[in-house]
């Protein structure tokens, strides 16, 4: 685990700036108009909920013609509320202030269970995975994490970080590790697999990963955001690279979790891969999906199959 996190520092500054703005706004406007003062506080602190609602509406509209089952309005409302509750926990607490609170495993394990490599997504760091890390510690399962930086760099540049993480994880148990990836992390894992197809892994679990891009990518102006554009050149080049390595390439060792209420990766089926174990999680929001009890329990259950086939390799 690296000593620092540029994203944590950025989010700490954003939190401080938001707090200062809110306080000064309240002090300035309260004597003049308590209504304007309170409105500014609500927008400053809770404005993200409005943005999440817009994302959810866009997803619902574009999912009308998608092959995934359509989410009802009750599911969409529930997904919005999930994200409203989870987003502050992740982006205002775990990532900026608690990201280093549960260090990676550093003691070899003789249990025979593979270690887990956690690969986060866009504008995240290892703090995203704290609930998983706590659960794995309680179960005695070793884990390793990466911070994908530069934060707004090319996804191609993350391959070396993942390579280092995989080697650390395999050294802990002697067995090929399982990769657990959220959002953009799934694409970063595919880039790494394409660069090191000979390196064995047990499974690759992706959660809300834009394997075929996302409609929201068209609005991004940063390198990794542009690479996630729906049907974009970078994604087509990645798929061609995978096929060039092995013309019969499949994604048989991938488990792809996707949702018909994902407010970031949509249309919904763009988070699936041909030949993968694609698992629909109805009514789940993008970040909240990473901590869904079914995602966590079924993903960790995959570790138990390693004992019978310790030399598994990812098809490439």
């Amino acid at each position: 685990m690296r000593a620092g996190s540029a994203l944590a520092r950025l989010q700490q500054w954003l939190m401080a700036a938001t707090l200062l703005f809110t306080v000064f706004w309240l002090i300035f406007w309260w004597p003049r108009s308590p209504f304007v003062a309170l409105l500014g506080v609500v927008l400053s602190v809770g404005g993200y909920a409005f943005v999440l609602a817009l994302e959810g509406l866009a997803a619902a509209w574009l999912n009308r013609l998608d092959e995934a089952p359509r989410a009802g309005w009750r599911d969409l409302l529930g997904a919005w509320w999930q994200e409203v509750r989870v987003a502050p926990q992740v982006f205002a607490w775990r990532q900026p202030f608690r990201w280093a609170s549960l260090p990676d495993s550093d003691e070899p394990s003789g249990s025979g269970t593979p270690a887990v490599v956690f690969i986060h997504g866009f504008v995240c760091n290892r703090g995203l995975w704290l609930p998983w890390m706590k659960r794995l510690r309680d179960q005695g399962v070793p884990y390793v994490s990466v911070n994908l930086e530069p934060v707004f760099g090319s996804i191609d540049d993350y391959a070396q970080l993942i390579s280092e993480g995989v080697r650390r994880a395999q050294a802990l148990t002697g067995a090929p590790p399982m990769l657990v990836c959220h959002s953009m992390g799934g694409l970063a894992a595919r880039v790494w697999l394409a660069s090191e197809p000979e390196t064995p892994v047990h499974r690759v679990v992706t959660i809300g990963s834009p394997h075929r891009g996302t409609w929201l990518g068209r609005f991004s102006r940063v390198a990794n955001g542009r690479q996630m554009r729906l049907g974009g050149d970078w994604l087509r080049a990645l798929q061609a690279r995978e096929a060039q390595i092995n013309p019969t390439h499949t994604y048989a060792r991938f488990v792809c979790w996707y949702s018909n209420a994902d407010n970031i990766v949509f249309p919904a089926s763009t988070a699936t891969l041909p030949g993968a174990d694609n698992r629909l999680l109805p009514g789940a929001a993008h970040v909240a999906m990473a901590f869904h009890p079914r995602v966590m329990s079924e993903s960790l259950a995959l570790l138990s199959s390693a004992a019978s086939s310790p030399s598994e390799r990812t098809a490439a």
Side-chain angles (χ1 to χ4, degrees):
M1 185 178 72
R2 296 196 172 191
S5 168
L7 181 74
R9 292 191 294 272
L10 174 62
Q11 292 182 329
Q12 288 167 7
W13 278 105
L14 288 174
M15 289 297 299
T18 301
L19 179 60
L20 287 173
F21 173 82
T22 303
V23 170
F24 282 117
W25 178 275
L26 193 61
I27 292 173
F28 179 82
W29 278 106
W30 187 263
R32 295 165 176 80
S33 172
F35 174 77
V36 173
L38 292 175
L39 179 62
V41 171
V42 170
L43 291 176
S44 176
V45 176
Y48 75 96
F50 177 72
V51 175
L52 292 175
L54 291 178
E55 293 172 349
L57 290 173
W61 178 259
L62 289 168
N63 279 335
R64 292 175 304 128
L65 303 178
D66 191 68
E67 60 192 56
R70 290 184 62 182
W73 287 107
R74 183 173 296 181
D75 287 335
L76 293 171
L77 184 60
W80 172 80
W81 182 240
Q82 291 170 28
E83 211 74 339
V84 167
R85 290 185 293 108
V86 168
Q89 298 174 37
V90 172
F91 298 103
W93 178 239
R94 292 177 194 159
Q95 292 189 166
F97 302 109
R98 299 288 295 165
W99 69 275
S101 61
L102 294 176
D104 292 351
S105 305
D106 56 8
E107 294 292 332
S109 171
S111 65
T113 301
V116 174
V117 179
F118 290 116
I119 307 173
H120 63 76
F122 186 63
V123 194
C124 289
N125 63 20
R126 70 182 302 277
L128 172 81
W129 300 108
L130 291 182
W132 286 74
M133 292 173 175
K134 184 179 185 304
R135 183 163 174 175
L136 290 183
R137 281 183 169 234
D138 293 341
Q139 296 179 358
V141 178
Y143 62 84
V144 165
S145 61
V146 297
N147 279 334
L148 301 182
E149 296 184 355
V151 176
F152 301 115
S154 170
I155 299 174
D156 296 302
D157 295 338
Y158 302 145
Q160 183 58 39
L161 295 171
I162 296 173
S163 179
E164 294 170 2
V166 168
R167 278 159 175 71
R168 286 193 289 130
Q170 185 154 2
L172 292 171
T173 66
M178 182 171 79
L179 277 55
V180 177
C181 320
H182 181 247
S183 194
M184 181 190 72
L187 297 179
R190 286 173 59 191
V191 169
W192 168 73
L193 286 166
S195 66
E196 296 187 25
E198 75 287 350
T199 303
V201 295
H202 175 56
R203 289 286 190 278
V204 182
V205 177
T206 68
I207 308 167
S209 291
H211 290 298
R212 286 179 277 161
T214 173
W215 182 82
L216 287 179
R218 66 181 59 197
F219 301 108
S220 181
R221 295 297 178 267
V222 297
N224 44 8
R226 292 195 303 269
Q227 289 170 328
M228 292 185 282
R229 289 177 177 174
L230 192 63
D233 293 340
W234 184 85
L235 286 168
R236 288 197 296 269
L238 173 59
Q239 188 174 14
R241 184 180 174 192
E242 291 170 326
Q244 185 177 18
I245 293 171
N246 185 346
T248 61
H249 174 81
T250 67
Y251 300 99
R253 298 209 187 279
F254 278 72
V255 177
C256 302
W257 292 96
Y258 71 109
S259 172
N260 57 2
D262 191 320
N263 55 298
I264 296 295
V265 177
F266 56 86
S269 62
T270 59
T272 65
L273 284 170
D277 181 357
N278 297 306
R279 303 186 183 187
L280 174 66
L281 196 67
H286 185 68
V287 177
M289 197 189 325
F291 316 111
H292 193 283
R294 183 183 163 201
V295 172
M296 294 180 71
S297 61
E298 291 186 22
S299 298
L300 294 181
L302 296 170
L303 293 172
S304 62
S305 66
S308 60
S309 52
S311 61
E312 289 181 301
R313 292 178 179 268
T314 295

